[in-house]
């Protein structure tokens, strides 16, 4: 396939024929639906995206100086226990044997995360057995042991005891949310992993790895079909271009929309709240700065939450990387405003109530399927996005296309 930026099609002139399906957003949700639509119905699909690249937040590019694959929107790590998703993605890419492990700097010392028996014994300068470590943490939870607190601060103490919580979670979370953890809901860390063995593998899924040729190559292969066209730098709400909301609705063209759901309805009920991330790039005249891909910074006096050293995601590319240069991105979290990249839904009770109203409007919107993080106001890992896209195609998009297409795929 031609480079996605070159695989463009200017919209039809007035009165010309639209494609069978228009997809707004070239992220994993939109690309999966496009691929499925072509494969199962022979549909002609046109994808538009306001960005200058495909792939959504999973987009990556190569850094010429260091030989590192840069994940433009922060670290993206593929993992899943869903066989349907694993079988699907392996049609378009192979995966490396990368296993994600995270480390945290606290008070001038580096510890393994998630909190495991190694973290516990290092922190307390001890050699606890699993049973002893469990008893210690229960004791350190104090009066919160056995309770189910509503706020994050108390829930963290209840889960891992006060000393470990205050060392590794409290200040990190405070920086991540710019909010005192006592004012955050416990649901944010209800699944905080604690392991009473020395397993420091971050994910516990059946399959894990990074795409061998990079994320962008993977996603280019997904839409390598002449019936799929892509147009970049196109705003769905810009009525000067033909693939706009008003024109497509008037023409009755099925649309898969993966942009912000509140933007689709012109924010008429109010803005849904998101967190965003800013990155500061730092380059070092050395081959390896941290010795790991991700280093968390748990202390309040470090303004960023973590640093990502991209070269270390791909040790198998060592021979093609610069042994004297490395690039690190420091990650700073803040509340998003309009125009920022939305990363994580804030999901307060007020936000959930507001989204429920937008969701009702979305369900009533004719010929339109809403999907992806932005379209459904949910945080998804990549495998979740693909799974929901496969389901959305089967249950929502395919029925729309059956009404739209009268020729068989063989034609």
């Amino acid at each position: 396939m031609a480079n996605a930026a070159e695989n463009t099609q200017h919209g039809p002139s007035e009165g010309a024929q639209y494609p069978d399906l228009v997809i707004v957003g070239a992220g994993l949700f939109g690309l999966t639906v496009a691929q499925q639509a072509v494969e199962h119905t022979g549909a002609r699909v046109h994808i538009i995206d306001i960005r200058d690249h495909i792939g959504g937040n999973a987009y990556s590019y190569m850094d010429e100086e260091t030989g590192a694959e840069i994940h433009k929107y922060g670290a993206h790590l593929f993992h899943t226990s869903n066989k349907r998703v694993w079988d699907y993605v392996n049609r378009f890419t192979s995966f490396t044997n990368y296993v994600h492990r995270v480390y945290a700097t606290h008070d001038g010392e580096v510890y393994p995360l998630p909190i495991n028996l190694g973290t516990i014994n290092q922190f307390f300068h001890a050699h606890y057995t699993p049973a002893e470590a469990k008893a210690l943490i229960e004791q350190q939870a104090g009066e919160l042991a056995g309770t189910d607190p509503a706020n994050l601060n108390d829930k963290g103490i209840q889960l891992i005891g006060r000393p470990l919580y205050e060392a590794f979670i409290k200040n990190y979370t405070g920086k991540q949310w710019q909010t005192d953890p006592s004012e955050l809901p416990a649901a944010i860390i209800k699944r905080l992993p604690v392991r009473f063995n020395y397993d420091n593998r971050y994910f516990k899924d059946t399959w894990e790895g990074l795409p061998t040729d990079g994320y962008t190559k993977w996603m280019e292969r997904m839409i390598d079909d002449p019936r799929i066209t892509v147009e970049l730098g196109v705003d769905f709400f810009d009525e000067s271009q033909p693939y706009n909301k008003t024109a497509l609705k008037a023409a009755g063209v099925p649309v898969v929309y993966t942009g912000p759901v509140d933007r689709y309805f012109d924010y008429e009920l109010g803005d849904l709240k998101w967190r965003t991330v800013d990155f500061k790039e730092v380059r070092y005249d050395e081959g390896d700065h941290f010795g790991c891909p991700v280093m968390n910074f748990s202390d309040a006096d470090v303004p960023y939450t973590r640093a990502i050293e991209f070269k270390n995601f791909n040790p198998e590319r060592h021979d093609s990387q610069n042994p004297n240069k490395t690039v690190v991105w420091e990650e700073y979290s803040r509340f998003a405003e309009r125009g920022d990249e939305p990363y994580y839904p804030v999901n307060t009770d007020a936000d959930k109530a507001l989204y429920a109203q937008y969701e009702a409007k979305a369900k009533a919107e004719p010929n339109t399927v809403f999907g992806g993080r932005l379209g459904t106001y949910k945080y998804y890992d990549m495998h979740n996005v693909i799974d929901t896209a496969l389901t959305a195609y089967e249950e929502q998009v395919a029925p729309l296309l059956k009404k739209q297409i009268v020729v068989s795929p063989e034609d």
Side-chain angles (χ1 to χ4, degrees):
M1 187 185 85
N3 180 281
E6 299 169 353
N7 184 26
T8 62
Q9 166 185 299
H10 293 292
S13 59
E14 188 174 346
Q17 182 69 40
Y18 276 108
D20 301 305
L21 177 66
V22 171
I23 296 177
V24 181
L28 272 173
F29 189 97
L31 299 182
T32 301
V33 171
Q35 186 278 325
Q36 289 284 283
V38 167
E39 179 170 277
H40 294 294
T41 70
R44 294 171 300 115
V45 180
H46 189 63
I47 304 171
I48 63 172
D49 199 300
I50 197 166
R51 292 172 170 174
D52 63 358
H53 59 76
I54 67 168
N57 281 12
Y59 169 75
S60 66
Y61 62 91
M62 295 303 295
D63 179 69
E64 292 186 4
E65 182 184 45
T66 63
E69 180 185 347
I70 304 293
H71 303 182
K72 183 173 181 177
Y73 301 93
H76 275 68
L77 310 158
F78 193 82
H79 55 97
T80 188
S81 295
N82 185 323
K83 189 174 188 303
R84 174 172 78 153
V85 170
W86 184 244
D87 289 345
Y88 179 75
V89 299
N90 273 272
R91 294 175 55 187
F92 310 106
T93 183
S94 59
F95 287 85
T96 69
N97 61 2
Y98 175 80
V99 174
H100 192 47
R101 292 182 170 87
V102 173
Y103 296 86
T105 297
H106 164 65
D107 199 21
E109 191 169 349
V110 175
Y111 297 84
L113 290 181
I115 292 170
N116 60 72
L117 195 57
T119 319
I120 294 168
N121 279 329
Q122 181 181 348
F123 185 79
F124 292 108
H125 304 288
H127 50 88
Y128 294 119
T129 65
E132 290 170 340
K134 287 179 185 177
L136 175 71
I137 283 181
E138 184 172 348
Q139 175 191 349
Q140 291 179 339
E143 70 280 3
L144 294 171
T147 66
D148 189 19
N151 73 74
L152 187 153
N153 188 79
D154 291 352
K155 185 66 179 179
I157 296 170
Q158 182 257 325
L159 285 171
I160 61 174
R162 187 178 297 275
L164 289 168
Y165 165 75
E166 292 186 345
F168 297 107
I169 307 300
K170 181 177 181 178
N171 293 318
Y172 184 92
T173 304
K175 290 188 290 186
Q176 192 173 33
W177 290 90
Q178 291 179 300
T179 304
D180 190 288
S182 64
E183 298 175 13
L184 292 168
I188 293 174
I189 61 161
K190 276 197 171 179
R191 292 178 295 175
L192 181 69
V194 182
R195 298 177 188 150
F196 295 100
N197 57 32
Y198 291 95
D199 179 10
N200 70 336
R201 178 181 169 187
Y202 196 79
F203 302 116
K204 299 295 286 182
D205 284 298
T206 306
W207 299 285
E208 178 178 1
L210 296 172
T212 305
D213 302 320
Y215 280 102
T216 299
K217 289 292 186 185
W218 162 15
M219 287 174 275
E220 286 177 349
R221 293 185 191 116
M222 290 179 70
I223 54 171
D224 186 9
D225 189 292
R227 293 164 293 186
I228 299 174
T229 50
V230 180
E231 192 172 5
L232 302 172
V234 177
D235 185 350
F236 179 58
F237 302 101
D238 175 8
E239 297 198 354
S240 70
Q241 61 85 22
Y243 294 99
N244 67 76
K245 175 184 170 183
T246 302
L248 293 172
K249 285 183 72 171
V253 179
V255 170
V256 173
Y257 176 79
T258 67
V261 62
D262 50 359
R263 173 68 182 95
Y264 184 93
F265 295 105
D266 200 26
Y267 305 104
E268 62 183 65
L269 302 176
D271 291 45
L272 290 165
K273 301 298 189 296
W274 291 82
R275 299 287 298 170
T276 191
V277 176
D278 296 319
F279 299 101
K280 178 184 176 183
E281 183 175 282
V282 184
R283 292 180 179 266
Y284 295 95
D285 293 329
E286 51 189 301
D288 190 353
H289 185 69
F290 284 115
C292 63
V294 177
M295 179 67 73
N296 286 8
F297 289 87
S298 303
D299 300 333
D301 59 353
V302 179
Y304 46 94
T305 54
R306 62 180 184 171
I308 304 165
E309 187 165 8
F310 292 101
K311 283 174 69 174
N312 290 325
F313 284 127
N314 298 101
E316 77 283 356
R317 298 177 187 167
H318 179 269
D319 290 347
S320 63
Q321 295 172 341
N322 187 336
N324 302 310
K325 299 279 186 179
T326 191
V327 57
V328 169
W329 281 18
E330 298 169 354
E331 188 170 307
Y332 300 78
S333 179
R334 62 178 172 84
F335 285 102
E337 299 176 358
R338 285 192 195 177
D340 288 328
E341 295 290 351
Y343 279 76
Y344 308 103
V346 174
N347 259 336
T348 62
D349 289 342
D351 287 309
K352 291 175 183 176
L354 179 58
Y355 172 65
Q357 296 178 62
Y358 277 124
E359 184 181 29
K361 291 177 70 67
K363 287 179 178 178
E365 194 72 1
N367 294 321
T368 306
V369 175
F370 291 76
R373 292 179 311 112
L374 305 181
T376 59
Y377 194 62
K378 289 182 176 65
Y379 177 75
Y380 288 122
D381 287 327
M382 286 180 285
H383 65 105
N384 299 130
V385 173
I386 294 166
D387 190 46
T388 56
L390 292 170
T391 299
Y393 171 75
E394 294 167 357
E395 297 181 356
Q396 297 174 271
V397 179
L400 288 176
L401 288 175
K402 283 181 181 177
K403 299 175 185 177
Q404 188 80 359
I405 301 172
V406 294
V407 295
S408 68
E410 290 74 24
D411 295 338

